């Protein structure tokens, strides 16, 4: 990793400089702008950098070198499934014909693309056990939105207008309650028991005539399989509610269990997790949704349909009860192509191995870290594809926190696990190795964790000050939030 | 098992360490009745060579027609460096920059993006991007409801000159929270918002007016007057703009006496390929006073322990992972890679290059419209100024004309029959800087032949 | 241990209330609350004239890691918000019972404070939460 800070692109800028190969030829009718009313014209040019092409290429390449990434580092970020993103997926999603295709081009000019989308829908149905799929949502949270909106639409269509409560286990990802609120629902949180399973008694009390549904992740955010899932489904369905499956952790069970078979009515899948499309520094994701038969009419449009040998978009006219459109066109098409390539390369055998080896790696890492002296949050449980260690004891005895360990890991060349999530477990590190990491990598991670634990006992201050080898040391978050500097300004500027 | 590294010996060793007999034993907490034995519906796996062949065959089915389609997604030249750098693994395979020290590249890049997009739109602060233009308009509507101090009506005015797809996304996204939208009609002569119809809402409690510039028809709205009118009525103004046009058109921050309050738009024209509709990105900028009502990630500059400058996510307490049910939005991500591409694009074209692109788009569209107007059976729908799109009226059903053009390898525009039936047979055409004079001529000649043949 | 001044009244949700000589009531968040939140970076106080119901969210305090609603311990009308907090939210960390006050309220009822917790009762709430 490059440890030298890179100056701002604006500091390279010089009036009159430019990447002139990128300027189009002057149009014959350039004077046409003079016919625009002066009141509608821009008076001063925008402050964009004026740099040569090489300046730009070097600057952004150097910026890239200030990042950890899967391609450069083990990235065991729990709940994020940071597995290898095969290069082929990118290469074949970026074929010129795919890139050039306009979203409003007729279906006849997109049979290749549409056939991939149709087959992707079919494959996602198969691996999740759902009846129908829409590829439209553009991220996990967007898929959640679609899912809860469908649940609401379903109840409304039946005239069941009172059902506006969404039940969420307290360990849930923050998007779950935020989504419920966005959909105009009221959130009811229920506890989980000491073993990490949903508290059935609390659930039984929570359900009723106002229950729209429950949002669950399984395996849960606690890194364990929800063993009472069949009882949960029975309770919620019995009360007239529907079950929503948050697919954040689908990688753990791919090829082993299907949400549809567990009784879920609607699910979203994070294609950027389970199906290895890139995280891209925070997006684009893709949050396809799957539903049981009774929710199919409500799926967001468009959906790809097959007629004879051809494929076409199904829109509002074909799906009058649809919850509508969630994007201007049809979602993150290019991401969907990457997921398609990934699934075709894995095939049925490869797909079943994903859940198995993700689980193997997590349980191996968990076993080794426990032997090395770390405390597990749920020591009596199997790990799913991830698990939690808690630094509560070290925080009390040594004044070393989960955040200190996370920051020190960066110095050892490992991206930190997820810290302080789930909120339920104090001083927690949520660790997800994924199936694409080798035993040697996992062993090296364990060795580093052992070394850090040693430092915690002998030189806690060393951890408190970490990291030391990154381009910057720990940053002043309080200053960032109080003295908002959200755009770059010249150093000598008074502003 | 194409991407799993374990040898049989590795697996045995690992199971031994765990104390399990088999991989299957690791799933013993899952009720037996739920477990499946295989995925017969998935085809067998393919090698990279095989998938490469398959995808190339599929791509070739899509063709490369000469396209005059716009309506929210625009064909522009993309410098080679943009995606060569964007797809570097360090950008492509990194996650959201929660660990700031190990993510300075992504964070600084977002900060540079925020700087460029605020300047382009003439606003004060930007987030790190949203899903796409449509969802950005929906988020802006919800943000206006939060940010407006007095309005409690949950009513917004969205003129029919706003992209119909955006209007649908706003409805399906914000409608669930009780937000209501009223459509303001346009004038048949100008294709712009009808000021008399708008005046009918004077004095009512309305949260915001949405103004798209250039509007869906490509026509330029009288943004100063509309903005001042809305502010006089106590409404916020949400500007929906095309980023390319802002190189030459007045930025929303300068509309009217006070400027627009929230500015959003589709970022695709800035270096993002058309790609059947996504991934694109939505941009959103606003005034500093509304920054805490803005959804999405925001990056701030600060200092580290040693006083060196550095970048970090800030104002996170607005977001779902902290505020949960009370968050400004459920959004977790930005469209990181697309925003990365756009930042590199804006850097490479610079202020003069972007203005050149905008000029050439305007000029090519003007030339196309002038030539089409000479074809018998074609009329230009609206008078007034426009950017890089225009509506032309035909005398026969557009769908049929488009099919005939398609058979000659031309995508002649977007049929407005479904969304604007009152116009009769109407076609929305677009010419960007990518279209040469010869391309325009080919389109005009083909259309003439199609219309004459009927 | 956090401070619980003897002359104030308290709400379970960690607000304090002080009767001013003119009959108005000053409201803030407790030492326990500011410690739990950490360094505050932003405070939003209600505008003058806003009518508060007891128990309703009336202000927001935000640190880098948490944002929390402040609930009105009593019903009344806001007569003044602490304008100093906009530029100096850290006043709450430094002096939560003094310069870090949030708002002053004209109470709807003269006996409003009686329903609140005594310092002893609030201390007991804190002690049971620790256990």
């Amino acid at each position: 990793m490059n440890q030298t800070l890179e100056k701002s692109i604006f500091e390279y800028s010089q009036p009159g400089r430019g990447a002139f190969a990128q300027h189009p030829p002057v149009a014959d009718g350039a004077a046409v702008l003079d016919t625009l009313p002066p009141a509608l014209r821009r008076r001063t040019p925008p402050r964009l950098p004026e740099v040569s092409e090489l300046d730009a290429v070097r600057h952004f390449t150097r910026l890239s070198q200030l990042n950890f990434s899967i391609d450069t580092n083990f990235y065991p970020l729990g709940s994020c499934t940071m597995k290898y993103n095969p290069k082929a997926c990118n290469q074949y999603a970026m074929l010129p014909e795919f890139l050039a295709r306009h979203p409003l081009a007729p279906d006849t000019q997109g049979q290749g693309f549409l056939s991939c989308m149709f087959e992707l829908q079919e494959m996602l149905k198969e691996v999740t056990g759902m009846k129908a799929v829409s590829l439209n949502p553009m991220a996990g949270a967007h898929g959640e939105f679609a899912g809860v909106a469908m649940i609401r639409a379903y109840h409304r269509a039946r005239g069941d207008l009172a059902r506006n409560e969404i039940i969420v286990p307290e360990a849930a990802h923050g998007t779950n309650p935020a989504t419920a609120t966005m959909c105009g629902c009221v959130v009811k949180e229920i506890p989980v028991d000491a073993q990490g399973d949903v508290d059935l008694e609390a659930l039984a009390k929570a359900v009723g005539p106002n229950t729209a549904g429950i949002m669950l992740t399984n395996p849960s955010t606690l890194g364990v399989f929800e063993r009472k899932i069949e009882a949960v489904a029975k309770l919620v369905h019995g009360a007239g509610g529907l079950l929503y499956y948050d697919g954040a952790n689908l990688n753990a069970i791919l090829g082993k269990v299907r949400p549809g078979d567990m009784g879920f009515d609607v699910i979203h899948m994070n294609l950027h997790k389970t199906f290895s499309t890139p995280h891209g520094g925070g997006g684009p994701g893709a949050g396809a949704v799957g539903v049981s038969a009774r929710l199919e009419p409500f799926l967001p449009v468009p959906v790809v349909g097959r007629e004879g040998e051809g494929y076409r978009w199904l829109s509002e006219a074909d799906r009058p009860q649809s919850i509508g459109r969630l994007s201007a066109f049809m979602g993150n098409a290019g991401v969907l192509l990457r997921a398609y390539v990934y699934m075709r390369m894995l095939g049925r055998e490869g797909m079943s191995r994903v859940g198995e080896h993700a689980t193997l790696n997590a349980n191996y890492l968990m076993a080794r870290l426990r032997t090395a002296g770390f405390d597990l949050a749920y020591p009596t449980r199997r790990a799913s594809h991830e698990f939690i260690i808690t630094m509560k004891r070290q925080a009390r005895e040594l004044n070393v926190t989960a955040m200190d360990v996370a920051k020190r890991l960066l110095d050892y060349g490992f991206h930190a696990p997820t810290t302080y999530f789930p909120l339920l477990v104090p001083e927690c590190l949520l660790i997800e190795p994924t199936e694409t990491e080798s035993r040697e990598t996992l062993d090296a991670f364990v060795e580093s964790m052992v070394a850090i634990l040693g430092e915690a006992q002998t030189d806690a201050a060393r951890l408190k000050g970490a990291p030391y080898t990154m381009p910057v040391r720990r940053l002043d978050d309080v200053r960032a939030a109080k003295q908002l500097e959200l755009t770059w300004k010249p150093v000598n500027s008074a502003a | 098992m194409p991407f799993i590294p374990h040898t049989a010996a590795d697996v045995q060793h690992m199971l031994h360490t765990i104390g399990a007999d088999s991989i299957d034993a690791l799933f013993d907490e899952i009720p037996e009745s739920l477990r499946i034995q295989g995925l017969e519906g998935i085809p067998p796996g393919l090698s990279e060579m095989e998938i490469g062949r398959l995808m190339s065959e599929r791509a070739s089915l899509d063709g490369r027609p000469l396209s005059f389609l716009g309506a929210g997604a625009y064909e522009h030249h993309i410098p080679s460096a943009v995606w060569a750098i964007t797809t570097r693994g360090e950008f492509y395979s990194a996650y959201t920059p929660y660990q700031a020290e190990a993510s300075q590249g992504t964070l600084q890049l977002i900060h540079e993006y925020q700087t460029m997009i605020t300047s382009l739109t003439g606003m004060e602060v930007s987030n790190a991007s949203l899903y796409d233009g449509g969802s950005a308009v929906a988020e802006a509507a919800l943000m206006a409801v939060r940010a407006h101090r007095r309005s409690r009506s949950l009513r917004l005015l969205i003129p029919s000159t706003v992209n119909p797809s955006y209007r649908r996304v706003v409805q399906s996204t914000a409608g669930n929270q009780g937000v209501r939208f009223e459509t303001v009609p346009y004038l048949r002569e100008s294709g712009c918002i009808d000021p008399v119809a708008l005046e009918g809402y004077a004095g009512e409690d309305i949260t915001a007016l949405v103004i798209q510039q250039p509007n869906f028809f490509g026509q330029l709205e009288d943004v100063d007057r509309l903005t001042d009118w809305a502010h006089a009525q106590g409404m916020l103004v949400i500007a929906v703009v095309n980023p390319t046009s802002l190189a030459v058109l007045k930025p929303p921050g300068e509309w009217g006496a006070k400027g627009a309050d929230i500015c959003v738009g589709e970022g695709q024209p800035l270096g993002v390929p058309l790609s059947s509709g996504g991934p694109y990105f939505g941009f959103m900028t606003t005034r500093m006073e509304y920054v805490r009502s803005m959804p999405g990630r925001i990056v701030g500059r600060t200092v580290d322990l040693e006083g060196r400058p550095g970048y970090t996510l800030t104002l996170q307490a607005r977001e779902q992972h902290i505020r949960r049910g009370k968050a400004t939005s459920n959004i977790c991500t930005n469209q990181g890679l697309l925003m990365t591409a756009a930042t590199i694009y804006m850097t490479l074209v610079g202020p003069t290059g972007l203005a050149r692109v905008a000029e050439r788009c305007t000029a090519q569209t003007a030339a196309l419209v002038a030539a089409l107007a000479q074809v018998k059976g074609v009329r230009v729908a609206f008078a007034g100024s426009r950017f890089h799109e225009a509506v032309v009226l035909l005398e026969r059903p557009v769908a049929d004309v488009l099919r005939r053009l398609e058979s000659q390898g031309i995508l002649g525009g977007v049929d407005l029959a479904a969304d604007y039936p009152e116009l009769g047979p109407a076609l929305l055409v677009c010419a960007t800087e990518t279209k040469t004079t010869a391309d325009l001529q080919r389109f005009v000649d083909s259309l003439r032949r199609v219309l004459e043949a009927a | 241990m956090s401070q619980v001044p003897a002359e104030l009244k308290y709400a379970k949700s960690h607000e304090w209330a002080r009767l001013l000589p003119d009959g108005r009531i000053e409201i803030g968040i407790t030492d326990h609350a500011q410690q739990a939140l950490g360094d505050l970076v932003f405070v939003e106080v209600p505008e003058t004239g806003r009518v508060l119901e007891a128990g309703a969210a009336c202000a927001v305090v935000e640190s880098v890691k948490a944002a929390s609603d402040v609930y009105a311990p009593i019903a009344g009308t806001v007569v003044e918000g602490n304008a100093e907090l906009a530029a100096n939210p850290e006043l709450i960390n430094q002096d939560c019972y003094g310069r870090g006050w949030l708002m002053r309220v004209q109470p709807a009822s003269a006996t409003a404070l009686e329903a609140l917790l005594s310092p002893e009762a609030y201390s007991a709430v804190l002690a049971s939460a620790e256990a």
Side-chain angles (χ1 to χ4, degrees):
Chain A
M1 181 179 217
N2 190 343
Q3 290 180 32
T4 313
L5 286 171
E6 171 65 7
K7 66 184 180 182
S8 163
I9 188 67
F10 298 99
E11 292 175 82
Y12 289 98
S13 186
Q14 290 295 338
R17 198 171 278 164
F20 298 111
Q22 307 308 335
H23 293 197
V26 177
D28 299 335
V32 71
L33 286 176
D34 298 338
T35 65
L36 297 182
L40 297 179
R41 296 285 304 275
R42 186 171 191 123
R43 290 188 289 266
T44 50
R47 194 169 74 189
L48 301 179
E50 295 179 78
V51 300
S52 71
E53 187 160 325
L54 177 58
D55 284 341
V57 167
R58 223 170 247 167
H59 171 73
F60 290 109
T61 301
R62 284 180 184 153
L63 284 188
S64 76
Q65 292 169 331
L66 301 178
N67 273 357
F68 268 25
S69 65
I70 301 171
D71 281 5
T72 53
N73 305 79
F74 179 40
Y75 215 120
L77 199 60
S79 186
C80 298
T81 312
M82 301 298 283
K83 60 165 105 173
Y84 171 57
N85 304 147
K87 300 296 175 191
C89 301
N90 187 53
Q91 167 105 349
Y92 296 118
M94 293 191 80
L95 294 175
E97 292 86 350
F98 290 141
L99 295 185
R101 185 174 180 279
H102 191 283
L104 299 176
D107 297 344
T108 42
Q109 301 287 328
Q111 288 297 302
F113 167 71
L114 287 169
S115 66
C116 296
M117 294 300 99
F118 182 82
E119 290 169 20
L120 178 60
Q121 289 173 184
E122 294 298 305
M123 288 192 288
L124 291 175
K125 280 156 61 176
E126 170 75 7
V127 296
T128 58
M130 305 309 284
K131 174 68 179 15
V133 162
S134 166
L135 302 171
N136 202 273
M138 292 179 280
H142 212 213
E144 283 183 40
F145 179 87
V148 177
M150 283 189 276
I151 290 175
R152 280 209 84 182
Y154 167 79
H155 291 309
R156 278 187 192 157
R158 302 170 72 237
D160 203 348
L161 303 178
R163 295 190 180 273
N164 73 333
E165 287 176 3
I166 293 284
I167 298 168
V168 173
E170 59 184 344
H173 198 263
T175 50
N176 290 173
T179 299
T181 305
M182 270 195 95
C183 289
C185 293
V186 177
V187 180
K188 265 189 152 175
E189 295 208 354
I190 54 164
V192 294
D193 66 23
Q195 296 303 310
D197 292 314
V198 163
D199 181 336
L200 283 182
E201 265 181 51
L203 178 63
K205 281 191 201 133
V207 295
N210 296 333
T211 302
I214 186 170
M215 298 179 85
L216 279 179
T217 314
N218 196 12
S220 74
T221 54
L222 303 176
V224 294
F225 191 84
E226 173 58 62
R227 290 172 292 192
K228 303 177 197 163
I229 181 61
E230 290 164 299
V232 169
K234 210 171 158 194
L235 259 176
V236 175
H237 281 151
L242 299 182
L243 273 81
Y244 181 93
Y245 181 85
D246 176 333
N249 296 337
L250 184 62
N251 208 55
I253 56 169
L254 196 60
K256 303 303 286 185
V257 198
R258 307 190 305 174
D261 300 336
M262 290 187 237
F264 285 95
D265 301 284
V266 52
I267 85 165
H268 87 261
M269 298 151 257
N270 300 83
L271 301 186
H272 47 284
K273 295 178 184 177
T274 314
F275 301 105
S276 213
T277 68
H279 284 77
V289 285
V291 291
S292 58
R294 56 180 160 172
L295 286 173
E296 183 171 2
F298 305 99
L299 276 175
V301 287
V303 175
V304 185
R306 181 164 61 184
E307 284 171 359
E309 291 298 300
Y311 303 90
R312 74 173 181 96
W313 292 117
L314 305 179
S315 63
E316 286 89 341
D318 306 285
R319 294 282 172 88
Q321 285 187 293
S322 165
I323 59 162
R325 273 170 205 269
L326 300 176
S327 69
F329 299 108
M330 62 75 48
N332 284 339
V335 179
L336 301 170
L337 278 174
R338 286 167 173 81
Y340 174 76
V341 173
Y342 178 77
M343 292 185 84
R344 291 301 307 268
M345 290 182 83
L346 257 57
R348 63 171 76 110
E349 322 82 359
M351 209 98 58
S352 299
R353 299 282 179 271
V354 166
E356 292 179 353
H357 287 253
T359 303
L360 176 68
N361 274 2
N363 279 283
Y364 175 71
L365 199 52
M366 181 170 85
R368 287 219 53 201
L369 286 173
R370 165 193 265 180
T371 308
F374 287 90
D375 296 337
L376 303 179
Y378 295 97
T380 64
R381 300 291 308 267
R382 291 277 191 213
S384 59
H385 65 318
E386 61 187 356
F387 61 95
I388 301 171
I389 59 178
T390 170
M391 302 296 294
K392 192 177 170 188
R393 183 165 54 88
Q394 289 84 356
R396 197 175 56 236
E397 293 171 3
L398 306 169
N399 191 31
V400 165
T401 65
M403 186 58 80
D404 297 330
V405 173
K407 296 299 184 194
R408 188 65 177 136
L409 269 170
L410 303 178
D411 286 329
Y412 283 85
F414 296 107
H415 193 279
T418 298
T419 51
Y420 299 101
F421 178 83
L423 306 170
L424 210 55
V425 182
E427 296 297 335
C428 67
L429 294 167
L430 178 61
I431 303 174
E432 179 182 2
T434 84
E435 74 279 7
T436 56
E437 297 297 335
S438 67
R439 174 160 75 93
E440 289 83 349
T441 300
L442 303 183
D443 288 342
F445 179 78
V446 172
E447 281 161 30
S448 298
M449 288 290 281
V450 168
I452 291 170
L453 196 56
E455 288 177 337
Q457 281 148 357
T458 57
D459 186 8
R462 182 90 186 136
L463 264 60
K464 291 268 158 213
Y468 301 93
T469 60
M470 298 292 105
V472 292
R473 302 277 305 275
R474 279 194 217 189
L475 292 157
D476 187 343
D477 291 333
V478 174
R479 177 186 152 130
K482 271 163 80 170
Q483 303 172 26
L484 292 174
E485 286 186 56
L486 307 182
T487 56
W488 184 84
K489 295 191 175 61
V491 177
N492 296 323
S493 154
Chain B
M1 293 188 278
F3 307 111
I4 292 171
H6 301 324
T7 63
D10 286 332
V11 173
Q12 282 316 310
H13 171 91
M14 294 167 82
L15 286 172
H16 180 74
T17 303
I18 296 166
D21 298 335
S22 64
I23 288 181
D24 224 35
L26 301 175
F27 292 88
D28 57 8
E29 291 188 359
I30 300 179
E32 188 67 45
S33 58
L34 290 177
R35 289 196 241 168
I36 56 168
Q37 295 314 318
L39 294 167
E40 290 312 308
I42 306 283
L46 299 176
S47 68
E48 183 168 325
M49 182 179 79
E50 292 167 305
I51 189 74
R53 175 78 180 259
L54 175 75
M55 295 306 283
S56 299
E57 286 167 7
R58 297 285 174 94
S60 68
L61 293 175
D62 288 0
R64 290 292 300 271
L66 179 66
S67 166
F68 295 88
L69 299 172
Y74 302 100
E75 180 184 348
H76 290 289
H77 164 70
I78 300 173
S80 306
V82 170
W83 284 89
I85 299 173
T86 301
T87 53
R88 283 181 64 92
E90 299 96 325
F91 286 135
Y92 189 82
S93 72
Y95 190 59
T96 299
Y98 284 131
Q99 293 292 337
E101 300 88 345
S103 314
Q104 284 295 299
T106 291
L107 287 162
Q108 182 172 335
L109 199 138
I110 294 173
H111 198 260
E112 292 177 358
Y113 162 82
Q114 290 174 180
T115 306
M116 292 181 202
I117 210 83
T118 49
S119 176
L120 193 61
T121 56
M123 305 296 284
E124 291 171 335
V125 293
S126 167
N127 68 11
S129 75
L130 298 165
Y131 301 134
D132 75 347
S135 68
V137 179
E139 289 282 4
L142 292 171
M143 174 179 163
V145 169
R146 285 191 300 272
H148 202 299
R149 291 247 162 210
R150 291 172 313 281
S151 173
R152 291 288 168 264
S153 69
L154 302 183
R155 287 169 74 200
L156 279 82
L157 297 182
I158 307 195
S160 54
T161 56
V162 172
N163 188 328
S165 285
Y166 295 177
R167 286 185 272 144
R168 282 191 278 271
V169 177
V170 172
Q171 180 62 47
S172 39
T173 307
N176 276 308
Q177 294 185 53
V179 182
R180 288 180 297 140
F181 311 96
E182 297 182 38
T183 311
V184 184
Y186 62 92
L187 287 176
R188 278 297 273 107
E189 306 79 59
S190 65
C192 289
I193 297 171
D194 179 351
V196 176
L198 196 57
E199 194 58 40
Y201 291 98
E204 296 187 26
D205 178 3
I206 288 170
T207 306
L209 169 67
V210 181
I211 306 170
Q212 182 172 341
Q213 177 82 327
N215 72 22
F216 182 68
F217 301 134
Q219 304 291 123
L220 299 186
E221 301 274 4
D222 188 354
V223 289
D224 290 333
R225 205 186 49 74
L226 292 167
T227 301
D228 287 341
W229 179 84
H231 282 153
Q233 303 300 322
M235 304 175 193
L236 297 179
V237 171
I238 298 172
V240 181
V241 291
N242 176 312
T244 310
S245 76
L246 292 179
V248 296
L249 296 182
K250 183 183 273 186
E254 296 173 15
W255 289 3
K258 285 164 48 191
D261 301 287
I262 303 169
C263 170
V264 290
E266 174 55 67
Q268 176 274 329
L270 302 174
V272 177
L274 288 166
S275 191
S276 289
Y280 295 171
F281 73 97
F283 58 87
M284 174 181 267
T285 58
T286 186
R287 304 166 184 279
M288 187 56 100
E289 65 180 291
Y290 299 132
V291 66
R292 283 187 157 76
S293 300
M294 183 161 62
R297 298 269 141 92
I298 301 174
V299 170
R301 193 165 184 266
T302 184
V303 295
D304 74 356
L305 281 175
E306 295 172 13
R308 287 177 301 186
Y311 301 87
T312 185
L313 291 173
T314 192
L315 299 178
Q316 292 192 75
R318 301 166 299 117
E319 295 187 61
Q320 51 74 28
H321 60 284
I322 291 175
R323 288 286 266 170
R324 299 175 73 85
K326 287 180 175 173
T328 49
S329 167
N330 73 347
I331 195 164
C332 299
T333 46
N334 60 338
Q335 295 281 97
L337 278 185
L338 297 313
M339 178 223 73
T340 300
T343 307
I344 301 171
Y345 175 87
M346 287 189 278
T347 300
L348 286 169
V349 295
T352 49
L354 193 63
R356 185 84 71 81
V357 172
E359 279 167 16
R360 192 171 156 88
C361 288
T362 314
Q364 296 304 79
T365 298
L368 176 63
V369 170
L372 288 174
Q374 301 302 314
V375 175
K376 186 164 178 294
V378 179
R379 278 185 304 132
V380 180
F382 306 120
S385 305
R386 59 179 75 90
F387 180 54
H388 68 7
E389 275 173 289
V391 178
V392 293
L393 303 177
L394 308 183
E395 290 167 358
R396 33 188 295 212
V398 170
D400 177 54
V401 173
L402 288 178
R403 260 192 304 274
R404 290 164 189 255
L405 285 170
E406 187 190 337
S407 68
Q408 299 178 35
I410 295 173
L411 302 182
V414 176
D415 184 358
L416 299 184
D419 289 309
Y420 300 94
E422 70 280 5
L423 287 174
L427 180 66
L428 182 66
V429 296
C430 170
T432 65
E433 87 282 9
T434 59
K435 295 294 166 288
T436 64
T437 306
D439 292 336
L440 304 183
Q441 195 59 51
R442 190 179 145 206
F443 179 27
V444 173
D445 290 345
S446 298
L447 182 63
R448 182 181 291 117
R449 277 197 302 275
V450 165
L451 294 180
E452 281 170 359
Chain C
M1 276 309 292
S2 61
Q3 294 173 19
V4 183
E7 73 277 17
L8 304 179
K9 299 282 255 179
Y10 298 88
K12 262 189 193 162
S13 46
H14 309 292
E15 292 84 12
W16 56 261
R18 170 186 284 132
L19 179 63
L20 299 174
D22 59 4
R24 293 171 172 179
I25 304 228
E26 192 170 75
I27 292 167
I29 63 168
T30 65
D31 190 31
H32 170 83
Q34 72 81 16
Q35 279 184 27
L37 285 162
D39 290 325
L40 291 181
V41 296
F42 177 71
V43 178
E44 185 180 285
V45 297
E47 63 272 31
T48 301
R50 187 154 145 208
V51 178
L52 305 176
E53 284 175 43
C58 61
V60 176
V61 287
E62 190 181 303
S63 68
V64 288
K65 60 181 184 192
S68 177
D69 285 320
V70 177
Y71 300 96
I74 56 155
T77 306
V78 177
V79 291
E80 189 183 359
N82 186 350
E84 253 197 295
L85 296 176
N88 304 102
E90 64 276 13
L91 286 175
I92 293 180
N93 296 115
Q94 292 162 2
D95 187 9
C96 66
Y97 296 114
R99 289 181 68 199
W101 61 278
L102 282 168
M103 69 197 86
R104 292 178 180 144
V105 174
Q106 184 66 50
S109 150
T111 58
L113 284 184
E114 287 172 18
L116 297 181
L117 300 175
S118 67
E120 296 73 25
Y122 179 64
S123 295
V125 168
L126 294 182
S128 68
E130 299 260 311

